[in-house]
Amino acid sequence: QVQLVESGGGLVQAGGSLRRSCAASGRIFSVDQMGWYRQAPGKQRELVAVFTRGGNTAYADSVKDRFTISRDNAKNTVYLQMNSLKPEDTAVYYCRFALVYGDYWGQGTQVTVSS
């Protein structure tokens, strides 16, 4: 069984920064994708930043040059550094580990950016 525990997030003023982390426990192998998604009120869940199989990264256009995804393979942890935050970044942020044998999501954490 795989479990994901997220930390970080919260309330920040526009222009500020936040760092999120997501630690996975259990049997972690054959990772197709790991990273971050978000869902704003009234909108569909969308990709923010992920590592794909092979170690490449993919970012939403809206966060390029502001957000950075990183990982610590030894700790099965993925991070999201969010800089120059904007009110439109306000959403519930979820981490995701998509494994060959299952798709796992974190509990989600609210990030609110005030103007």
Side-chain angles (χ1 to χ4, degrees):
Q1 184 71 14
V2 174
Q3 291 186 325
L4 305 181
V5 177
E6 301 178 22
S7 61
L11 174 64
V12 66
Q13 289 188 331
S17 298
L18 285 173
R19 187 173 188 248
R20 306 235 36 234
S21 64
C22 175
S25 61
R27 299 173 68 231
I28 310 296
F29 60 93
S30 297
V31 178
D32 280 335
Q33 185 190 89
M34 62 176 174
W36 299 93
Y37 287 69
R38 69 185 180 187
Q39 187 166 18
K43 295 187 177 180
Q44 290 187 332
R45 191 171 298 187
E46 63 175 358
L47 181 149
V48 177
V50 296
F51 286 103
T52 60
R53 181 177 285 274
N56 295 319
T57 57
Y59 290 89
D61 287 343
S62 59
V63 306
K64 282 180 180 177
D65 300 324
R66 298 189 298 122
F67 290 12
T68 302
I69 189 172
S70 61
R71 63 186 178 182
D72 184 333
N73 290 332
K75 296 181 180 179
N76 286 326
T77 299
V78 61
Y79 304 94
L80 183 67
Q81 178 66 42
M82 303 183 287
N83 298 328
S84 302
L85 282 158
K86 304 176 181 180
E88 51 263 44
D89 294 318
T90 295
V92 177
Y93 284 69
Y94 300 88
C95 71
R96 180 191 188 196
F97 275 62
L99 311 177
V100 171
Y101 50 93
D103 193 7
Y104 301 91
W105 292 84
Q107 77 272 19
T109 302
Q110 178 69 42
V111 170
T112 301
V113 184
S114 63
S115 58

